[in-house]
Amino acid sequence: MNTPRHVFYISDRTGLTAENIGEALLNQFGNLQFKRSTYPFIDTPEKALAVVEKVNRSAQEHGVRPIAFVSVVNHEIRHIIKEANAFVINFFDTFLGQLEKELNAQATLSLQGHHSIGNTQRYDARMEAVNFSLNHDDGVSDKNLKEADVILMGVSRSGKTPTCLYLALQYGIRAANYPLIPDDLESTDLPRMVKPYKDKLFGLTIQPERLQAIRQERRPNSTYAKIDTCRSEVSDAQAMFKRFNIPFTNTTDKSVEELAVHILQACKLKRRF
Amino acid sequence: MNTPRHVFYISDRTGLTAENIGEALLNQFGNLQFKRSTYPFIDTPEKALAVVEKVNRSAQEHGVRPIAFVSVVNHEIRHIIKEANAFVINFFDTFLGQLEKELNAQATLSLQGHHSIGNTQRYDARMEAVNFSLNHDDGVSDKNLKEADVILMGVSRSGKTPTCLYLALQYGIRAANYPLIPDDLESTDLPRMVKPYKDKLFGLTIQPERLQAIRQERRPNSTYAKIDTCRSEVSDAQAMFKRFNIPFTNTTDKSVEELAVHILQACKLKRRF
């Protein structure tokens, strides 16, 4: 059967958790096709009934019931959605009762999700980390660099900026980055700006062929994008990491999520919120 | 009992999904204290045994078994972790069999998680969105503004930049932003730079008291941070949104995650990957 199965993500908050669980599970059925619809902020019986109608209509149209990943705290709304003509996976229903027993405590059923703003002070710290990372992107400023939790170092287009921003947004980590330019790579010393913070340095390296592809997109047919340039810059950068005992990782096959977790682990950093 | 219960997040990949589910559930026990440890990349039996030992030691030390949220694909490793002296919540174990039956398909048990780099082309599109958002932060450039999926507009410090970056990183959305400066707010027209893209505009507003607190942090005792300045800027911005029928939302009590989902919904945007 080639019609993609319809997947509904239904939540009374952002839907991020429902999507997260759902995608992790669907990923294990790599051969199948899915069509996805997300319904966030379903926080009234009226909205719930409207979604149920959409689910039922889809079941009728496709001749097969949809899958629904549901992350709803409110009992009444959960109950309404359960009646939909769908295969419903509701992790609150499944796990909350077990946890109540294990913890010997009653769930408060708070609508305040962990993607909510929660504690304003902690949230502000996270936003401050984003500002910090932006202000210390691409080695633009060494002001307050001593306040950095980590300084990522690597050649141009090795993946520093998105990784820094992810570390800031997801973990509240103050992540600066410093681009290794040819002048730095020719020197046998660490770049002047980051030298005082050797213990905070973490290196990113990349397969030269992948680097070339990325640079070619940016500046087609430039010396910058030549495979020889990429090879020698990458090899010089790695030599520097090894010479100064800077931990480093290869970004070629890693997503920003994976890179961030690797860096947290290697630098023994803890999330700030 | 006041000792915080020890929570382990164990994964053969990033651990993000395990943390996500765990935090969503623990959040429902707002009165209890938890101590958290994350063990990502547990992808060999040796690493699994080492984690089990850590779990068992914690159980012994605290006199109560820890909670373990486990997101492990590999059968052998899952089996090892199951033997730990912990209350184990493993959503793969719980839901994968049910889904196999419903989909009439066998799970491939791929280690390629949905936080992996996956399809390189799709991943590059997401990183391109990050670059786009960085290049169009704070109204710095109107070059290629027509390629934006959305343009956030609001007074200084209303939350535009982190929201744009989150939209780019999480959803691959090309989100530009334009800061409304006093000159813009005095005019009865839309700012020249964004006027051609009226349909892409989305406004952010904020409670003046909260804005004042944020600005005061940045530039203490400046005119910029005065409550009167904040009040009049916010009121002018809202008047502009209403005059030009620009959809807008109040950022005061919303996290970047919630803002992003609101904007996707209001602007009917779809994730790009």
Side-chain angles (χ1 to χ4, degrees):
Chain A
M1 197 174 75
N2 285 320
T3 0
R5 189 76 164 247
H6 200 164
V7 173
F8 283 79
Y9 293 118
I10 305 168
S11 172
D12 46 4
R13 295 166 303 171
T14 60
L16 284 167
T17 303
E19 288 181 336
N20 215 321
I21 299 178
E23 291 302 310
L25 288 165
L26 297 183
N27 222 8
Q28 297 304 320
F29 299 91
N31 311 322
L32 301 182
Q33 297 273 316
F34 299 99
K35 177 189 162 188
R36 296 157 171 88
S37 304
T38 303
Y39 291 91
F41 307 121
I42 302 303
D43 49 11
T44 65
E46 293 69 36
K47 291 188 196 168
L49 286 167
V51 172
V52 167
E53 219 184 281
K54 284 199 172 75
V55 172
N56 293 349
R57 209 177 312 136
S58 166
Q60 213 165 25
E61 270 172 27
H62 295 87
V64 54
R65 63 176 180 174
I67 316 281
F69 293 97
V70 179
S71 167
V72 167
V73 171
N74 181 285
H75 273 307
E76 193 189 351
I77 293 174
R78 243 193 282 171
H79 195 78
I80 293 172
I81 291 168
K82 215 184 270 173
E83 299 300 309
N85 181 14
F87 176 71
V88 176
I89 284 190
N90 185 326
F91 78 102
F92 272 119
D93 262 354
T94 310
F95 296 128
L96 212 51
Q98 299 177 23
L99 257 181
E100 283 184 324
K101 228 190 250 170
E102 175 69 20
L103 295 168
N104 194 21
Q106 191 110 39
T108 50
L109 299 186
S110 138
L111 241 183
Q112 180 90 300
H114 75 294
H115 291 119
S116 301
I117 199 161
N119 178 319
T120 314
Q121 228 173 341
R122 286 199 313 177
Y123 184 74
D124 287 351
R126 196 173 145 212
M127 293 306 110
E128 264 317 304
V130 173
N131 287 329
F132 184 90
S133 296
L134 281 174
N135 291 335
H136 294 84
D137 185 37
D138 230 20
V140 288
S141 159
D142 59 358
K143 203 185 140 205
N144 306 328
L145 210 52
K146 64 174 180 299
E147 285 171 23
D149 296 314
V150 64
I151 303 168
L152 301 191
M153 206 161 79
V155 302
S156 168
R157 294 290 122 190
S158 55
K160 300 180 299 299
T161 299
T163 309
C164 281
L165 293 173
Y166 190 81
L167 279 166
L169 269 171
Q170 182 75 13
Y171 297 105
I173 298 287
R174 290 167 183 247
N177 74 72
Y178 182 87
L180 290 170
I181 57 168
D183 272 0
D184 297 323
L185 295 168
E186 278 160 23
S187 160
T188 54
D189 203 359
L190 278 173
R192 187 196 49 78
M193 197 194 268
V194 296
K195 207 178 167 182
Y197 312 106
K198 191 188 157 308
D199 292 345
K200 296 183 179 193
L201 294 175
F202 187 92
L204 297 186
T205 184
I206 185 170
Q207 202 186 22
E209 290 72 20
R210 170 95 171 113
L211 183 62
Q212 191 216 3
I214 299 171
R215 288 185 171 185
Q216 177 68 18
E217 275 284 310
R218 292 240 121 190
R219 290 200 224 144
N221 309 315
S222 60
T223 311
Y224 170 81
K226 278 218 176 82
I227 185 68
D228 287 350
T229 313
C230 295
R231 280 210 185 102
S232 90
E233 284 192 21
V234 166
S235 131
D236 288 349
Q238 270 178 229
M240 181 187 282
F241 300 152
K242 286 177 186 157
R243 194 181 316 128
F244 292 99
N245 254 321
I246 295 165
F248 67 98
T249 195
N250 191 317
T251 67
T252 312
D253 298 313
K254 295 194 186 83
S255 67
V256 279
E257 286 86 353
E258 292 170 316
L259 285 169
V261 174
H262 268 289
I263 292 162
L264 288 179
Q265 231 187 354
C267 301
K268 296 196 170 43
L269 293 171
K270 286 252 173 213
R271 62 165 72 228
R272 286 236 179 174
F273 63 95
Chain B
M1 199 174 74
N2 286 321
T3 2
R5 188 77 165 250
H6 200 163
V7 172
F8 283 79
Y9 293 117
I10 306 169
S11 172
D12 47 3
R13 295 166 302 170
T14 58
L16 284 167
T17 303
E19 287 181 336
N20 215 321
I21 298 178
E23 292 301 311
L25 287 165
L26 296 182
N27 223 7
Q28 297 303 322
F29 299 92
N31 311 321
L32 302 182
Q33 295 273 316
F34 301 99
K35 177 189 163 189
R36 295 156 171 89
S37 304
T38 303
Y39 291 92
F41 306 122
I42 303 302
D43 48 11
T44 66
E46 293 70 36
K47 291 188 197 167
L49 286 167
V51 172
V52 167
E53 219 182 281
K54 285 199 171 75
V55 173
N56 293 348
R57 209 178 311 135
S58 166
Q60 214 164 27
E61 272 171 26
H62 294 87
V64 55
R65 63 176 179 172
I67 316 280
F69 291 97
V70 179
S71 166
V72 167
V73 172
N74 181 285
H75 272 307
E76 193 187 352
I77 294 174
R78 243 193 282 171
H79 195 78
I80 294 172
I81 292 167
K82 217 183 270 175
E83 299 301 309
N85 182 13
F87 176 71
V88 177
I89 284 191
N90 185 325
F91 78 101
F92 271 120
D93 263 355
T94 311
F95 297 128
L96 211 52
Q98 297 177 25
L99 258 182
E100 282 183 326
K101 226 189 253 171
E102 175 69 18
L103 295 169
N104 195 19
Q106 190 109 39
T108 50
L109 298 186
S110 142
L111 240 184
Q112 181 90 301
H114 76 291
H115 292 119
S116 301
I117 199 161
N119 178 319
T120 315
Q121 227 172 342
R122 286 200 312 177
Y123 184 74
D124 287 351
R126 197 173 145 210
M127 293 306 109
E128 266 315 305
V130 173
N131 287 328
F132 182 90
S133 295
L134 281 174
N135 291 335
H136 294 84
D137 185 35
D138 230 19
V140 288
S141 159
D142 59 358
K143 203 186 140 206
N144 306 328
L145 209 53
K146 64 174 182 297
E147 286 171 22
D149 294 315
V150 64
I151 304 167
L152 301 192
M153 206 161 78
V155 303
S156 169
R157 294 291 125 190
S158 54
K160 300 180 299 296
T161 299
T163 309
C164 281
L165 292 173
Y166 190 81
L167 279 166
L169 270 170
Q170 182 75 15
Y171 297 105
I173 297 286
R174 291 166 182 248
N177 73 73
Y178 183 87
L180 289 170
I181 57 168
D183 272 359
D184 297 323
L185 295 168
E186 278 161 23
S187 159
T188 53
D189 204 359
L190 277 173
R192 186 196 49 78
M193 196 194 266
V194 296
K195 207 178 166 183
Y197 311 107
K198 192 189 157 304
D199 292 344
K200 296 183 178 192
L201 293 175
F202 187 92
L204 298 185
T205 185
I206 184 170
Q207 201 185 25
E209 289 73 20
R210 170 96 172 113
L211 182 63
Q212 191 216 2
I214 299 171
R215 288 185 171 184
Q216 177 69 16
E217 275 285 309
R218 293 241 120 190
R219 293 199 223 145
N221 309 316
S222 59
T223 311
Y224 170 81
K226 278 217 179 84
I227 186 69
D228 286 351
T229 312
C230 295
R231 281 211 186 101
S232 90
E233 285 192 20
V234 166
S235 131
D236 288 348
Q238 270 179 230
M240 182 188 281
F241 301 152
K242 285 176 188 160
R243 193 181 318 128
F244 292 99
N245 254 321
I246 296 165
F248 67 98
T249 193
N250 191 317
T251 67
T252 312
D253 298 313
K254 294 195 186 83
S255 66
V256 279
E257 287 84 353
E258 291 170 317
L259 284 170
V261 174
H262 268 290
I263 292 163
L264 287 180
Q265 231 187 354
C267 302
K268 297 197 169 45
L269 292 170
K270 286 254 172 211
R271 63 167 71 228
R272 284 236 179 175
F273 62 95

